[in-house]
Amino acid sequence: MRASAEDVVAPVTFYRPDYHIKTPEMRSPDYVQMSTAAAITLGLVPGTMHRTACTHCLNLLVTYPEGCRANCSYCGLARHREEARDYADRNFIRVDWPTARYDDVIERVKDNADRGQFERMCISMITHPNSDHDTVVLLEKWVNAVPHIPVSILSNPTTMSYEDLKNLRDKGADIFTVALDAVTPEIFERTRGKTVDSPHRWGKYWQAIEWAAEIFGPEKFGAHLICGMGETEQEILDVCQKIRDMGGHNHMFAFFPEQGSLMEDWNPVPRDQWRRVQLARFVIDYAGGRIDDMKFNAQGQVTDFGVDRRELDDMIGSGKPFQTSGCPGKSDEEVSACNRPYGDSSPTDILSFPFALKGTDVDFVRRQMSGEAVGTFDHDAEE
């Protein structure tokens, strides 16, 4: 018996989130999701990004129809959203994440579809029974096919053992990161723990950071931290200093209320707070400064960065502290390849700059640090 044309279903090779069609079943390791910026860079999605041509990191996300089993209150992938939106249709860090066959992604990179602009690839794990195994499969296939582009792992410590980290290193992972996100045990519990019926535990995440420091070594591990979830500036910078003392780097995110998350009604982080934390993080990570030399007021706000005024002014003038922070690129360890265009703010009010700042951008940042209620849209209008 021969199948009719109607019975033959063409394999799905690419899916762009769309409420109006039935979501196809796609799962890793055959499929991966990628950021919209990565999809644009690879030519899979038409479009341009404000003042930047591409992303320099191919951000990939393991994917399963069942979705993430965690329930973090600020996350667009959280379990509680499953009734309102199919997993593959959910936005994450403000943007849609299209899905493609992993083999097709690799072939596009090998064929130079990114025009040589990718300096790094990152595999982001989620809380799912298959995530650990499939991450290794994705890593091995990439290292064998595209060895010149290093791989970072954005891990899920909840499901991982010490041996899992060693295996990822041995299979070719270059950098290992932990999305700690919440910087105090209390905020972690309120946003990621039992309070919101989620499996993550503060102690387990710190254990993974300590393992990463031992297994991957200095400059080869880091932590994601979100600024603006109720912590003081001093509290988040205490964590920055601890990570740096261990040999790692801090990848900073500005809190932005994800639509559909449990924290969608929270306000974004105040601009002046964010700029002070960005600058202090840079002082700690790259300028040899220490939180011990900084001064804080009764509200835990930075009042003195513990650095010579001229040196601090030069840092601000470089614009580097205000660019997106993350795993390094090829040319400058102080500038992240993972520039995540508009992942924590819109182009109308840029919080993490995905490009090098011009003098007018720096002036705008200085105004924000002084407490002026000015946004990027106002700044662009002045140019």
Side-chain angles (χ1 to χ4, degrees):
M1 179 177 178
R2 298 173 60 186
S4 66
E6 292 77 17
D7 295 328
V8 178
V9 179
V12 176
T13 59
F14 181 73
Y15 172 72
R16 188 175 184 180
D18 188 342
Y19 277 147
H20 301 101
I21 65 174
K22 179 178 174 58
T23 306
E25 174 149 331
M26 300 160 290
R27 67 174 57 242
S28 297
D30 295 327
Y31 291 87
V32 289
Q33 290 183 260
M34 68 183 72
S35 67
T36 295
I40 291 173
T41 304
L42 279 176
L44 289 165
V45 170
T48 58
M49 289 170 284
H50 178 60
R51 294 181 63 185
T52 184
C54 67
T55 177
H56 296 290
C57 181
L58 175 56
N59 295 104
L60 303 181
L61 181 70
V62 295
T63 187
Y64 309 96
E66 311 86 70
C68 185
R69 299 299 83 197
N71 203 37
C72 303
S73 60
Y74 52 87
C75 183
L77 302 180
R79 190 181 70 244
H80 73 271
R81 295 190 72 187
E82 61 191 3
E83 293 181 2
R85 192 169 188 179
D86 286 338
Y87 185 77
D89 286 330
R90 297 178 195 175
N91 55 301
F92 176 51
I93 59 170
R94 293 194 66 255
V95 300
D96 288 336
W97 285 64
T99 309
R101 289 189 64 86
Y102 187 50
D103 287 347
D104 293 346
V105 173
I106 288 177
E107 286 306 310
R108 280 180 173 266
V109 175
K110 288 173 65 176
D111 291 342
N112 202 37
D114 66 312
R115 302 177 303 284
Q117 295 179 106
F118 287 145
E119 299 179 14
R120 181 168 292 278
M121 188 272 269
C122 179
I123 305 171
S124 296
M125 304 171 69
I126 64 172
T127 307
H128 186 279
N130 297 343
S131 183
D132 295 339
H133 170 271
D134 292 341
T135 296
V136 174
V137 174
L138 297 173
L139 172 63
E140 287 187 296
K141 185 171 285 191
W142 183 272
V143 170
N144 288 332
V146 198
H148 65 282
I149 299 180
V151 180
S152 295
I153 303 293
L154 178 55
S155 63
N156 175 40
T158 296
T159 63
M160 301 185 79
S161 68
Y162 183 88
E163 292 302 319
D164 288 327
L165 273 68
K166 286 181 61 179
N167 189 39
L168 288 167
R169 180 203 60 191
D170 294 345
K171 297 293 186 183
D174 177 56
I175 290 178
F176 186 91
T177 60
V178 174
L180 182 66
D181 294 348
V183 299
T184 72
E186 295 76 19
I187 297 173
F188 191 99
E189 172 58 28
R190 168 171 59 79
T191 60
R192 316 197 68 188
K194 292 180 181 178
T195 302
V196 287
D197 192 26
S198 198
H200 302 318
R201 301 293 177 263
W202 173 263
K204 178 65 175 178
Y205 269 64
W206 272 103
Q207 182 183 56
I209 294 171
E210 291 167 356
W211 287 345
E214 177 184 340
I215 294 168
F216 283 81
E219 317 302 324
K220 293 295 184 179
F221 74 97
H224 287 199
L225 309 176
I226 298 178
C227 178
M229 295 208 296
E231 78 293 334
T232 68
E233 294 169 27
Q234 187 169 7
E235 286 173 332
I236 195 169
L237 294 171
D238 276 334
V239 173
C240 285
Q241 188 66 66
K242 183 174 181 180
I243 297 293
R244 190 67 199 119
D245 287 346
M246 295 169 69
H249 285 290
N250 297 282
H251 306 169
M252 202 71 70
F253 293 70
F255 174 76
F256 187 92
E258 192 85 61
Q259 186 176 1
S261 72
L262 296 175
M263 294 178 69
E264 66 178 355
D265 294 328
W266 275 56
N267 292 322
V269 60
R271 297 186 190 101
D272 60 333
Q273 174 184 343
W274 172 239
R275 297 304 181 200
R276 286 191 296 269
V277 168
Q278 280 184 302
L279 179 56
R281 189 279 314 182
F282 191 87
V283 168
I284 290 169
D285 270 6
Y286 295 111
R290 295 194 59 80
I291 194 172
D292 316 65
D293 299 321
M294 298 180 185
K295 295 179 182 178
F296 301 84
N297 63 19
Q299 289 74 46
Q301 297 171 318
V302 184
T303 59
D304 187 323
F305 292 88
V307 176
D308 175 79
R309 182 65 237 183
R310 181 175 295 179
E311 183 182 354
L312 188 69
D313 198 57
D314 287 344
M315 268 186 264
I316 296 172
S318 75
K320 287 182 180 181
F322 313 107
Q323 289 185 244
T324 309
S325 54
C327 294
K330 294 178 180 178
S331 58
D332 190 337
E333 68 170 12
E334 296 177 351
V335 176
S336 174
C338 186
N339 52 338
R340 303 187 297 278
Y342 312 111
D344 60 7
S345 59
S346 75
T348 62
D349 191 6
I350 302 171
L351 295 182
S352 297
F353 284 85
F355 48 80
L357 282 71
K358 297 180 180 178
T360 48
D361 297 314
V362 173
D363 291 341
F364 146 74
V365 167
R366 290 184 192 274
R367 291 169 61 187
Q368 288 189 327
M369 290 184 70
S370 70
E372 284 192 55
V374 57
T376 308
F377 179 78
D378 301 320
H379 157 67
D380 286 344
E382 293 172 1
E383 291 189 321

